[in-house]
Amino acid sequence: MKKCLFHRSYNTNKKVAQMHEKIIQMLRQNNGFRDWNMVLQNFRSGDFKLKIAGHINSEPIYKFFNTYSDNFVLNNSSITISVQPVKSYIPFHIHNYVEIKIPLVGNCVVVTEHERIKVKQDNMIFIGIKTPHKVEPIDEKGVVLNIALRTSAFSLNVLDFLQSKGNGISISSLLFSLLSDEDHGEGRYSLFEIDHDPKITAIIYDIIDEYYADKIQADQIIKLEMLTMFSLLIRKAYYRQPPVTGAKNKNNNLLSLLLYIEKNYSEIKLEEMAQHFGFNPNYLSDHLKNETGLSFIKLVQLQRVNVAAKYLKYTKVSIEKIATSVGYENASYFYKIFKHYFGISPAKYRSNAR
């Protein structure tokens, strides 16, 4: 019996590896070298002329607001997938959509205005709307996937569903809200270290297969698989909790800060959180405000009332005990905060949820 299971597992893994290799070979057919000067010349003579948004160290920042297939056919779908050309210069640019870069073979280096981020194989970097960046030329053997997500791809309600079953807002999904929002996505990115997680890797290859095979219901399947991928990323980041080492890495580790709040919301104190990450409390407070648009206190309140809403909906615990369990010794103050975020009292919320 054990021998049979071993062979079955071996055969399954072999088939998966063969499928992945087949996809890599397909992508290699589309990632040939592109001469930037020729590309720029074609844009200047075409219908979609590239505009310059500014400069970084005298280098122009181009507006890459259109998305194209690998053969440079315009494709402004809500989700577009392409592969990065090898050994090719890519200048500083900004998008009006979120971009996810995933090196499937080898590594890639993303350069922002202030730093150089190495993205290792199978890891992924989310680059926010209007975030100036460029990509260093990749090796001829490298394969780097680009996924463009327009704001129409997922509503914030759908993203919020990743963590919240009620009407509250999840701290975890706030990261995706930031990246998907025109006002708050600017100047942000987040690096996810996947550690070659087989579940996440399998989903990535499934998404590629669905996109290029162009089968019936492919768009719907891709969206569902991407939501599953987001959930797995949140789970991995939650348990991983990478340390925040300083201001230089602040964008890279925003999720760590938000997940710390999500995990320690009931007894959290700004001073203790700052000490945990090696920050000055005032700096941490300002940093959270600048990165999320919300103060430390409001982020904590957001998590507390979100958890309280779940207690109200799924348990019969008294409102006073719920208030205490989420961090409010004063029940009256809890009533006030809950109504501020949900528009109704905790009792009314519980009544409506039944």
Side-chain angles (χ1 to χ4, degrees):
M1 180 66 177
K2 288 184 178 179
K3 188 175 181 181
C4 179
L5 289 175
F6 171 79
H7 283 296
R8 187 181 302 169
S9 176
Y10 173 79
N11 290 333
T12 300
N13 291 337
K14 186 178 180 180
K15 287 181 179 179
V16 170
Q18 289 174 342
M19 186 197 77
H20 288 185
E21 182 58 30
K22 184 177 179 181
I23 289 174
I24 291 296
Q25 293 305 320
M26 180 269 294
L27 294 176
R28 288 190 190 282
Q29 296 176 6
N30 298 323
N31 73 342
F33 167 79
R34 292 189 185 277
D35 187 316
W36 167 247
N37 291 322
M38 292 187 64
V39 172
L40 186 59
Q41 186 175 348
N42 289 336
F43 275 119
R44 284 173 175 167
S45 60
D47 295 330
F48 301 100
K49 295 182 179 179
L50 284 179
K51 296 181 180 180
I52 295 177
H55 292 80
I56 294 178
N57 298 327
S58 75
E59 292 187 55
I61 306 171
Y62 292 94
K63 293 183 178 181
F64 286 7
F65 285 4
N66 292 304
T67 49
Y68 297 85
S69 60
D70 292 319
N71 57 0
F72 256 74
V73 175
L74 183 66
N75 182 350
N76 280 331
S77 300
S78 59
I79 299 177
T80 307
I81 296 178
S82 61
V83 63
Q84 182 175 321
V86 299
K87 301 176 68 174
S88 303
Y89 170 75
I90 299 177
F92 275 113
H93 59 281
I94 59 174
H95 303 296
N96 58 353
Y97 50 84
V98 176
E99 182 181 44
I100 306 174
K101 285 190 172 292
I102 311 172
L104 300 176
V105 178
N107 307 316
C108 79
V109 176
V110 176
V111 182
T112 67
E113 185 175 3
H114 302 293
E115 56 192 308
R116 185 174 175 270
I117 309 116
K118 184 175 182 179
V119 188
K120 297 181 180 180
Q121 183 171 320
D122 291 337
N123 292 343
M124 59 181 74
I125 185 169
F126 284 61
I127 302 172
I129 293 171
K130 294 184 180 177
T131 300
H133 66 286
K134 66 178 180 179
V135 187
E136 294 183 358
I138 60 172
D139 184 84
E140 62 182 351
K141 295 181 180 179
V143 177
V144 177
L145 192 74
N146 298 321
I147 303 177
L149 297 179
R150 296 195 173 277
T151 53
S152 58
F154 303 105
S155 69
L156 296 188
N157 287 335
V158 170
L159 291 175
D160 183 58
F161 181 76
L162 291 171
Q163 284 282 293
S164 174
K165 300 295 184 182
N167 294 324
I169 300 173
S170 163
I171 294 296
S172 295
S173 63
L174 179 59
L175 173 68
F176 299 104
S177 298
L178 289 170
L179 288 175
S180 302
D181 186 82
E182 182 72 30
D183 296 323
H184 294 108
E186 186 171 342
R188 290 171 173 78
Y189 68 86
S190 188
L191 177 66
F192 289 88
E193 296 186 1
I194 308 306
D195 302 321
H196 306 290
D197 186 299
K199 282 188 176 182
I200 298 176
T201 301
I203 288 177
I204 292 170
Y205 278 92
D206 281 345
I207 290 171
I208 299 170
D209 182 57
E210 286 292 335
Y211 185 85
Y212 283 95
D214 195 25
K215 299 176 182 177
I216 187 171
Q217 292 289 303
D219 289 346
Q220 288 77 5
I221 291 173
I222 288 171
K223 287 186 178 183
L224 289 172
E225 290 193 320
M226 293 206 70
L227 289 174
T228 302
M229 183 180 76
F230 291 163
S231 293
L232 290 172
L233 290 175
I234 289 173
R235 175 196 287 175
K236 179 166 283 291
Y238 183 86
Y239 289 109
R240 184 183 183 89
Q241 286 287 308
V244 178
T245 55
K248 185 177 180 181
N249 297 319
K250 61 183 181 178
N251 289 326
N252 183 17
N253 294 284
L254 174 61
L255 184 58
S256 296
L257 299 174
L258 297 178
L259 289 175
Y260 182 89
I261 295 174
E262 181 172 313
K263 189 175 182 180
N264 301 280
Y265 64 90
S266 62
E267 298 179 349
I268 194 170
K269 292 180 174 59
L270 177 63
E271 292 75 16
E272 292 177 359
M273 181 177 174
Q275 184 178 10
H276 177 82
F277 288 106
F279 284 154
N280 175 280
N282 291 332
Y283 170 80
L284 177 60
S285 179
D286 291 341
H287 173 57
L288 288 170
K289 176 73 173 181
N290 292 335
E291 293 299 302
T292 68
L294 298 173
S295 67
F296 169 79
I297 292 175
K298 287 189 176 180
L299 286 170
V300 173
Q301 289 176 344
L302 204 58
Q303 181 61 17
R304 286 177 173 178
V305 297
N306 186 43
V307 173
K310 291 182 179 180
Y311 277 119
L312 290 166
K313 184 173 183 179
Y314 297 111
T315 76
K316 295 181 180 180
V317 177
S318 70
I319 294 175
E320 287 71 21
K321 286 185 178 180
I322 292 174
T324 302
S325 68
V326 300
Y328 293 109
E329 295 182 4
N330 187 322
S332 297
Y333 185 63
F334 167 70
Y335 272 79
K336 179 180 178 181
I337 296 299
F338 190 93
K339 189 171 183 179
H340 171 76
Y341 284 98
F342 285 87
I344 56 177
S345 69
K348 184 67 174 176
Y349 180 89
R350 168 171 275 174
S351 176
N352 292 345
R354 297 299 181 186

